[in-house]
Amino acid sequence: GASGILVDVSPKNPIVRVGQNFTFMCRVGKPLMYCSIRLPGSSSGLNMNEKVPKTAKYWYAGDGIGSGQCGITIARIDDSQNGQFKCSLGFEDDPTESDGTTNVTVARAPAIDPTLVVTPDADRRTGAYSEDTLIRATCTVKDARPVASISWAIGDDQITDGISRAETVESLNDLFTVQQNLTRRLTWKDNGKDLKCVASHIALDGRLKQTIKQISVRFAPRPIGGTIEQFGFIVGEEGIISVQIHANPRPSLTWTVDQEIIPEGHKDFTQRFEANPVRSMGNGTWQAELRILRVTVEDVARKYVLKAQNDVGKEQYTVMISTSAEPQGSLELGTGPIIGIVVAILVVLIVIFMLIFARATGRWCFS
């Protein structure tokens, strides 16, 4: 304050919610002659002390002005009380006042969902982007107090790369608009996923506001490294060879068995092999199946070639089948092998100990 008396103010620059009970307090180390508190938007102060009658909206807070405490409690703070709270303190032995201030932010959540703009636009004919397209997305969250926070996600994965610094602009009524840009190079894995611009804010009480744009990416059938091995086929029974393919748009399929090409939805000339129509599993994933009416020993020795093609590209897959059970992995040992390994180690340790003992006592001859 002007008199040099230190005024302890609490709380310091708080963020509060509409309807919250709020107390503003100024303290000094000597008795007060008077206590005046000015609320935001008011041109005059409120004379506050323990003798002032309590109202439904506010009342004096503190142990009395004789204790050097000047405070006010507001029953339910509202949006009009966003701004500076000021206390002015007078003393019997000092002609000048001492002041204390705090800036109260009354939180206001953004009223509408974020706006999300993505450039360039997807292809008008297909509604999809080409793989490797560089997109720029702009998320804007308007009219919040304090400024809202923006986060990004694609599908269930949070995005942390390619994000610009958020830019904030103050608008009317001490409200803030924030904007952030995202730059991302699209891959086939982005196909069918939702690009999300998410706004969080203290006044939303844990709820989120978000805007979503679904991303569609055109890509050729994806390769699968090496020969595909499938197990558990039984001679004399029906068997189904199944291959999962990633592609967008839908691929057309053909199977080749012993040089004979079998389009999807058709059988071979022996009527033993049937290429089922491709099934959509969603988001550019497709199930290709070749049904074998009755598996023979010769079938196990064959190679089955699947070709998938769409208007972006093509890919070929080779499948071999087996009547064996699927391997469990070399590291998964049963209790029998584990016991054998332990016994072998113990035997080796005993032999080494006996050799060392015999040499040390001279019971055996060593050259």
Side-chain angles (χ1 to χ4, degrees):
S3 66
I5 297 177
L6 180 64
V7 180
D8 178 33
V9 175
S10 67
K12 293 181 173 62
N13 304 324
I15 298 174
V16 298
R17 302 178 187 180
V18 170
Q20 180 179 330
N21 179 281
F22 175 70
T23 297
F24 169 58
M25 177 65 71
C26 296
R27 294 181 177 90
V28 293
K30 58 187 295 186
L32 303 177
M33 186 173 68
Y34 63 83
C35 154
S36 176
I37 294 179
R38 191 167 67 195
L39 305 181
S42 175
S43 58
S44 60
L46 296 172
N47 178 41
M48 300 301 296
N49 61 62
E50 62 273 23
K51 296 180 180 180
V52 173
K54 180 178 179 179
T55 72
K57 293 184 178 180
Y58 60 85
W59 54 88
Y60 170 80
D63 295 333
I65 61 173
S67 300
Q69 296 185 11
C70 174
I72 186 172
T73 295
I74 298 175
R76 294 175 60 85
I77 200 164
D78 61 42
D79 198 72
S80 67
Q81 291 159 340
N82 178 79
Q84 187 185 81
F85 279 59
K86 181 180 180 180
C87 65
S88 298
L89 313 179
F91 309 94
E92 290 185 357
D93 58 352
D94 197 325
T96 58
E97 290 183 336
S98 288
D99 300 327
T101 60
T102 193
N103 289 310
V104 176
T105 299
V106 180
R108 183 193 286 188
I112 61 174
D113 290 337
T115 58
L116 177 60
V117 178
V118 179
T119 56
D121 292 330
D123 182 88
R124 290 186 178 182
R125 182 176 59 88
T126 63
Y129 292 94
S130 299
E131 193 174 12
D132 211 38
T133 297
L134 186 67
I135 63 168
R136 177 186 173 97
T138 301
C139 178
T140 306
V141 184
K142 296 181 178 180
D143 297 340
R145 185 198 306 129
V147 63
S149 297
I150 294 176
S151 60
W152 296 84
I154 187 156
D156 296 326
D157 301 320
Q158 188 167 3
I159 300 174
T160 56
D161 296 330
I163 298 173
S164 71
R165 182 188 297 274
E167 297 181 0
T168 303
V169 177
E170 186 171 0
S171 56
L172 297 175
N173 301 320
D174 295 322
L175 300 178
F176 298 90
T177 294
V178 61
Q179 188 174 88
Q180 191 174 57
N181 295 321
L182 166 71
T183 303
R184 183 177 181 88
R185 193 169 295 279
L186 297 177
T187 73
W188 68 274
K189 293 182 179 180
D190 294 327
N191 177 61
K193 293 183 178 179
D194 290 331
L195 178 64
K196 303 173 187 176
C197 158
V198 184
S200 56
H201 192 272
I202 184 174
L204 289 173
D205 296 321
R207 295 174 290 110
L208 300 174
K209 283 185 175 289
Q210 64 180 18
T211 299
I212 293 173
K213 178 179 175 62
Q214 188 175 64
I215 301 295
S216 180
V217 180
R218 290 163 51 83
F219 60 97
R222 298 291 302 171
I224 300 175
T227 299
I228 302 168
E229 296 181 89
Q230 298 193 354
F231 301 89
F233 288 79
I234 301 173
V235 172
E237 296 187 9
E238 180 184 86
I240 295 179
I241 300 173
S242 180
V243 179
Q244 199 169 84
I245 300 169
H246 298 286
N248 186 39
R250 177 196 189 279
S252 58
L253 307 178
T254 57
W255 290 88
T256 301
V257 182
D258 286 344
Q259 309 303 316
E260 183 179 357
I261 297 174
I262 311 172
E264 58 177 297
H266 292 76
K267 296 181 179 180
D268 76 317
F269 77 97
T270 68
Q271 303 292 296
R272 291 184 56 249
F273 297 97
E274 181 179 8
N276 292 336
V278 65
R279 287 192 297 124
S280 174
M281 310 300 288
N283 292 344
T285 301
W286 310 90
Q287 195 79 11
E289 292 180 346
L290 180 68
R291 187 169 70 93
I292 306 173
L293 184 62
R294 284 184 300 276
V295 177
T296 66
V297 174
E298 291 77 17
D299 293 336
V300 176
R302 289 188 171 96
K303 285 187 177 181
Y304 302 87
V305 177
L306 169 64
K307 294 180 181 178
Q309 181 172 353
N310 61 15
D311 57 10
V312 185
K314 58 185 177 180
E315 189 59 54
Q316 179 171 297
Y317 312 91
T318 301
V319 184
M320 296 194 69
I321 66 175
S322 172
T323 55
S324 302
E326 188 169 355
Q328 296 299 309
S330 58
L331 295 178
E332 296 180 12
L333 299 177
T335 55
I338 292 174
I339 293 172
I341 292 170
V342 172
V343 171
I345 292 173
L346 288 174
V347 170
V348 171
L349 291 174
I350 291 170
V351 171
I352 293 173
F353 175 79
M354 290 178 63
L355 289 173
I356 295 173
F357 179 79
R359 183 166 187 171
T361 57
R363 296 193 180 190
W364 291 349
C365 296
F366 293 88
S367 57

